[in-house]
Amino acid sequence: MLRQFLALLLSLSLFPAAPTKLNKDQRALHAASRLTFGPTVTDLAAIHKLGVDKWIEQQLHPETIPENPALLERLKTFETLQLSNKDLIAQYPRKAGKGAKNVQTVYRELAEAKLLRAVHSTHQLEELMADFWYNHFNVFFDKGADRLLVTSYERDAIRPHVLGNFKNLLLATTKHPAMLFYLDNWTSVSAENLDNLRDRFQRKKAAAKKKRAAGLNENYARELLELHTLGVDNGYTQTDVTEVARCFTGWTIDGLRDDPKFLFRPLMHDRKAKTVLGQAFLPGRGEEDGLQVIDMLVRHPATAKFISTKLAQRFVADTPPPALITKMAATFTKTQGDIREVMRTMLKSPEFWAASTYNAKVKMPFEMVASALRATNATVTNSAAIQQEFRAQGQPLYRKGEPTGYSPMAEEWTNSAALLSRMNFGLALVQNKVRGTRIDLTQTLANKTKPTEIAQALLLRAPAPETLRAIESKSETNPAQIAGLVLGSPEFQRR
Amino acid sequence: MTRRSLIQTAAFGFGALPAWLTRAAAQAPNGKKKTLVAIFQRGAMDGLNVLIPHGDKRYTALRPSLAIPRESALDLDGFFSLHPSLKPLYPLWQSKQLAAIQATGSPDPTRSHFDAQDFMESGTPGRKATRDGWLNRAIPAAQTPSPVRALSMGGTLARSLRGPAPAVAVNTLAGFQVRDNAQKDFMSMYAQSPDATLKSTGKDTFEAIRLLDSINKNKPASTATYPASRLGQSLAQIATVIKAGAGLEYAFADTTGWDTHTGQPARLEQLLTDLAQSLAAFHKDLGEQANDVTIVTMSEFGRTAKENGTRGTDHGHANVMFTLGSAIPGGKVHGTWPGLEQEQLYQQRDLAVTTDFRDVLATAIRHHNPATDLAKVFPDYRFRPIA
């Protein structure tokens, strides 16, 4: 009884359950937790030196922050990253032949570069945004030709726009061969013959349907509306999907086998009149049909709301407050899709800084592993074992089959097998048992050995007293074991 | 090991009995639960050389170098035969436990492995944004379900089992462990955590760990010999959990390598031998409990009716599915034969689909749990049971 009372007292005094406002240290940690791949001592020092507002402003303008030179040197050794689609296909044929380079290199370098950037880049927010937008406009690496197109897709279509204008970003993805291939738009052709058929045999729906399958392909149109812009069931109908698909007929790939490029092929295009979201499109047009759809979608209030909601779900809370979404969506509309401004609105909002959001997000596997590597100041010389870890935890990089991308919601990542993998990863990491990765724990912990100090050094905050008690009650006091327990603790799974 | 001894082991080994186990023990004294096992053959099996239409005279003509001679195949009903490598399954056909459903497939025309597997596993052909899988949606809510009620064999949770109902991905029973003796520390840490969500996940995790560990350590020697393959080992472990009476109701396993564009005869022989030996061993291993287990096999699409120029076949349309158990009457080929004449082929090249793959899966689920809400499992779909 007395012990319970003391514990209660302790938790009340040192760990207020729901403080109404974050204090200065908490604000610094909150900013670092949400706007980096895991807070480090260096991040906190920078925030304290600059002030949190100025630090955020810097992160919103990554071009003003010098990039980590060691990272740049390392990335230079990855030869596939800078190759064009054409050169990649020429040098890394999918079927091995004489003198051909190993096609596995393409994935290895792509995935390792993503991990290294997340861990070592000084442009942390930019890296988070690159991850966010790739995931939003997801392409599955393993779908046939996409194995050699994703490198350029991320580099040329996603990265230049991560804090730029949404319309430019959207259009870059629409036209990239990786997306055209992934969602089949490159095969979608005019259904004019079908229209003739339909006019003549109005009742023979089955025949019309069969014909449509071979001509018009609605995959891209559907995901464009449902996943990329308006959001599911947000003010469009199945007819709109079909009409949008007709607008994008002819948006195809030229030279898929040797030099894939976007091409508008007028012969494939449906030139008849269309009606999209209630708006009439005149007959006889070409590429401008698709361009007008993009323009309409970017201006649509549902898009402003949907994009704001997705950003807030990743950066603020699984269920973001409606008031926050309203503000962000207003900025989106006012600035015609300026992503940096939408982010700024979010980061200046009281909702972002509400005490209820502090450490409230469960890390996605990529975030969990990257944050562990950052917290332990790890050196990764070969990321194969870590890529395997992403697979085990359910988030293999670039390998989400569905166009939905990975969910940022806690429910997706709190399952038995994934939690077990997280615990085992932490334990392996601190004992230098993850192949290709090295840490110097003594240095990271600055010779600290007490459980409470080790927890503080890795979490950069005090764990819940219950967690601390569990660690302290351990008979063995090897710092590595304690560090492993901290990385596997409930606290470390959140940000 | 009997169910009683498992419960005792669990109790003595780990203190308090998990709530689900006491409940399960009280409600099902014989420890019996029905189990549905879904097996995915990734890569698109060449159904025409598995359930062979020897009665269709076009068969041999379409496949001059690949056709299986009638005399070497296992006759089923005078029209169809089984590939000779499926011989280990022939007794199960004769005892009417094995059923074949011909010309099954998706209403979606895709010939992409990725899309077709995705549609089959999500159970929503043509709809790519479905987040959860058909098998997960088939799991009804339960108060205190067994921590191993749904098992996915392999490193990641299969698409079919992804979704809101708890399901555990297991590589090997022995490997489902916290390393470096840290289990007790983590267990007490999570048990006490003020973080309600992770506390609850932790509870599920440690219950599954303890249970699988106990099952694995106390498993009796099996009389069945499984192949060392991915499928064989997956089924061996599923059988272990079923035999322990631990409350396994939904399981998923897969086998890969069915994409036989080249050198098909030897590859198909090897794959079918593995399939047949694995299933036969599983059936033998389960003994009487096999009566409570339904197995259903699927592959994303079939292959071209005509062989290609490299002693193989390319991506096609309809395929054959099998069930083992009492969900669908065995010793019979179900469905309608669409024919192999040029004009009968889908797009003049592939076997046409006459049975929706969801008809087979829905029949199996309804047999497994008659209360299953099919509208939830397969939205926008009209059920046509196989009987």
Side-chain angles (χ1 to χ4, degrees), chain B residues 31-185:
Chain B
K32 275 189 180 175
K33 280 273 184 202
K34 279 159 72 175
T35 312
L36 178 64
V37 183
I39 295 176
F40 207 111
Q41 300 163 286
R42 299 191 191 279
M45 173 176 77
D46 180 27
L48 285 175
N49 267 16
V50 177
L51 179 75
I52 307 157
H54 276 127
D56 192 311
K57 61 182 189 310
R58 289 281 299 154
Y59 169 69
T60 320
L62 285 164
R63 301 181 157 209
S65 82
L66 292 186
I68 309 285
R70 193 165 204 160
E71 56 278 13
S72 70
L74 307 159
D75 178 55
L76 295 183
D77 57 8
F79 186 90
F80 287 108
S81 332
L82 276 186
H83 189 286
S85 297
L86 290 180
K87 199 171 176 191
L89 293 180
Y90 201 48
L92 295 172
W93 175 270
Q94 289 166 324
S95 62
K96 301 200 185 306
Q97 284 159 292
L98 179 70
I101 306 92
Q102 58 171 313
T104 59
S106 170
D108 190 272
T110 183
R111 289 191 183 90
S112 144
H113 292 297
F114 150 67
D115 288 340
Q117 286 185 27
D118 195 56
F119 292 155
M120 200 166 254
E121 294 209 69
S122 73
T124 57
R127 199 188 141 76
K128 292 195 178 187
T130 308
R131 281 185 185 272
D132 44 17
W134 70 274
L135 196 53
N136 192 289
R137 293 194 300 273
I139 304 175
Q143 275 298 312
T144 46
S146 160
V148 293
R149 187 184 192 197
L151 266 191
S152 172
M153 300 309 298
T156 44
L157 198 58
R159 173 83 163 103
S160 303
L161 263 178
R162 255 182 259 157
V168 182
V170 173
N171 245 329
T172 62
L173 299 185
F176 200 75
Q177 293 279 343
V178 181
R179 58 182 295 160
D180 307 321
N181 301 315
Q183 181 167 319
K184 269 191 190 157
D185 299 312

Side-chain angles (χ1 to χ4, degrees), chain B residues 307-312 314:
Chain B
E307 69 179 53
N308 64 18
T310 54
R311 292 203 83 207
D314 296 321

Side-chain angles (χ1 to χ4, degrees), chain A residues 140 143 182-184 210 213-214 219 222-223 226-227 232 362 391-392 394 400-407 412 414-417 419-420 423-424 427-428 431 433 464 466-467 469-471 474 481 484-485 488-490 493-494, chain B residues 108-110 112 114-115 118-119 126-131 147 155-157 159 162 167-170 175-182 185-186 188-190 192-199 201-202 204-206 208-209 346-347:
Chain A
F140 180 45
K143 181 170 175 178
Y182 174 55
L183 292 178
D184 308 322
K210 208 170 177 186
N219 287 342
R222 174 170 287 108
E223 308 313 354
E226 176 174 330
L227 299 173
V232 66
V362 169
R391 188 172 279 274
K400 175 67 171 174
E402 304 86 15
T404 51
Y406 291 111
S407 165
E412 187 79 10
T414 44
N415 67 69
S416 305
L419 183 60
L420 180 60
M423 294 174 189
N424 283 335
L427 290 166
Q431 298 176 87
K433 284 180 183 165
E466 294 87 345
T467 301
R469 264 207 307 279
I471 298 171
K474 213 176 131 46
Q481 279 270 344
L485 290 178
S489 70
Q493 310 317 313
R494 292 192 180 265
Chain B
D108 190 272
T110 183
S112 144
F114 150 67
D115 288 340
D118 195 56
F119 292 155
R127 199 188 141 76
K128 292 195 178 187
T130 308
R131 281 185 185 272
T156 44
L157 198 58
R159 173 83 163 103
R162 255 182 259 157
V168 182
V170 173
F176 200 75
Q177 293 279 343
V178 181
R179 58 182 295 160
D180 307 321
N181 301 315
D185 299 312
F186 274 132
S188 67
M189 183 192 292
Y190 275 78
Q192 296 165 33
S193 178
D195 187 326
T197 307
L198 286 163
K199 179 180 179 167
T201 308
D204 293 350
T205 308
F206 292 111
I209 291 173
Y346 176 72
Q347 295 179 351

Side-chain angles (χ1 to χ4, degrees), chain A residues 25-82:
Chain A
D25 286 345
Q26 288 170 328
R27 282 171 69 89
L29 184 61
H30 185 57
S33 297
R34 295 301 172 90
L35 307 182
T36 76
F37 273 101
T40 63
V41 181
T42 319
D43 298 326
L44 291 187
I47 293 171
H48 282 302
K49 190 171 156 224
L50 289 169
V52 72
D53 293 338
K54 209 165 170 197
W55 182 82
I56 289 175
E57 203 48 41
Q58 267 198 352
Q59 287 294 327
L60 283 169
H61 284 278
E63 70 282 2
T64 64
I65 314 169
E67 184 52 290
N68 179 347
L71 173 65
L72 293 175
E73 278 305 306
R74 179 79 181 279
L75 293 178
K76 266 190 209 158
T77 66
F78 292 5
E79 56 176 19
T80 63
L81 293 186
Q82 292 313 319

Side-chain angles (χ1 to χ4, degrees), chain A residues 247-411:
Chain A
C247 289
F248 281 102
T249 46
W251 288 51
T252 189
I253 304 171
D254 185 38
L256 180 66
R257 279 168 194 281
D258 50 7
D259 184 13
K261 284 195 179 81
F262 168 75
L263 177 73
F264 177 75
R265 230 185 258 283
L267 277 177
M268 290 170 77
H269 187 67
D270 183 335
R271 295 167 61 83
K272 295 204 158 186
K274 306 165 189 83
T275 305
V276 177
L277 302 170
Q279 190 157 330
F281 283 38
L282 292 175
R285 304 200 312 172
E287 191 179 349
E288 56 267 44
D289 276 345
L291 292 171
Q292 191 178 339
V293 170
I294 296 282
D295 198 56
M296 285 169 64
L297 291 174
V298 173
R299 289 166 190 274
H300 200 291
T303 299
K305 196 177 164 194
F306 181 62
I307 298 299
S308 299
T309 305
K310 278 201 75 175
L311 282 167
Q313 281 175 337
R314 177 77 186 258
F315 288 94
V316 186
D318 284 5
T319 318
L324 172 64
I325 304 306
T326 307
K327 276 182 272 194
M328 292 170 68
T331 302
F332 187 100
T333 303
K334 194 177 79 194
T335 63
Q336 295 181 19
D338 186 325
I339 299 163
R340 194 188 332 261
E341 287 308 317
V342 176
M343 287 297 287
R344 191 177 274 129
T345 297
M346 181 187 85
L347 295 171
K348 284 190 181 305
S349 73
E351 289 85 0
F352 178 79
W353 297 103
S356 57
T357 66
Y358 188 56
N359 291 309
K361 287 283 298 173
V362 169
K363 292 172 185 171
M364 295 164 80
F366 182 47
E367 295 169 338
M368 187 276 166
V369 169
S371 67
L373 296 172
R374 282 169 64 80
T376 55
N377 199 16
T379 307
V380 179
T381 49
N382 180 332
S383 76
I386 291 177
Q387 304 298 341
Q388 186 50 43
E389 184 59 31
F390 291 137
R391 188 172 279 274
Q393 291 189 21
Q395 195 187 6
L397 304 185
Y398 304 101
R399 283 182 159 148
K400 175 67 171 174
E402 304 86 15
T404 51
Y406 291 111
S407 165
M409 316 292 257
E411 68 202 22

